[in-house]
Amino acid sequence: MGTPLTAIYPGSFDPLTLGHVDLIRRGSRIFPRLVVAVLRNREKSALFTVAERMEMLHEVTAQMPGVEIAEFEGLLVDFAEKVGAGALLRGIRAISDYEYEFQMAWMNRRMAPALETVFMMPGEDYAYLSSRLVKEVAAGGRAVTGMVPPAVEARLRAKFGETAASARQRP
Ligand code: PNS
């Protein structure tokens, strides 16, 4: 397995939220090389294509040194080996994240014992933020300002039309 100085931050990023951006920032302060990896095989049920998700990630992380954007298919442990990563970075928000995250971490450890999963907490402003809820809010015509980067907000508005996202600010 690779050096722990390279970490992968994997996810669906459909779409990227400010919680993800916060984790990328925190991770890039610890790992000199951080590969943000977008999972490919969920495209059918996704709102954004992998290409769109990668484009948004590129835009948002352009000024962050050591951050790379990639896509992957199949098992994460195989991708980690391919890029020479020694660590997997995952964000933990509420207690409800733990079970799913621990299952994944244990399974990944079984397959790749030297690959270490590292959990980090996002800033408290993002503790209850998720891509799924952001999509629901935007689809329902409410603003998602402060939940996603402006580049993502603009794309959500484009997807859901004029009545969506920040176009219909209600009290
Ligand atoms: O953002 P998400 O949807 O919580 O990310 C989940 C992700 C992409 C990390 C997970 O689904 C994954 O690693 N998929 C790749 C397939 C794999 O390796 N499965 C075994 C994990 S135990």
Side-chain angles (χ1 to χ4, degrees), residues 18 21 27 68 99 103 120 123 135:
L18 286 178
V21 177
E68 296 170 27
E99 189 158 343
Q103 279 177 9
M120 290 181 87
K135 278 184 281 196

Side-chain angles (χ1 to χ4, degrees), residues 10-85:
S12 308
F13 304 108
D14 184 42
L16 176 70
T17 69
L18 286 178
H20 294 129
V21 177
D22 183 65
L23 248 288
I24 296 170
R25 232 181 237 116
R26 288 172 196 279
S28 70
R29 282 191 212 123
I30 293 179
F31 299 103
R33 181 176 173 232
L34 183 64
V35 181
V36 181
V38 182
L39 176 65
R40 178 161 268 287
N41 64 7
R42 287 190 186 161
E43 191 141 358
K44 278 188 199 130
S45 58
L47 177 64
F48 291 100
T49 64
V50 170
E52 288 174 319
R53 287 181 257 164
M54 290 183 67
E55 202 178 287
M56 289 184 265
L57 276 161
H58 273 297
E59 281 176 36
V60 170
T61 63
Q63 308 301 324
M64 296 186 198
V67 175
E68 296 170 27
I69 312 300
E71 61 180 280
F72 78 104
E73 240 173 339
L75 289 176
L76 184 55
V77 291
D78 292 332
F79 180 70
E81 197 176 331
K82 201 170 115 194
V83 300

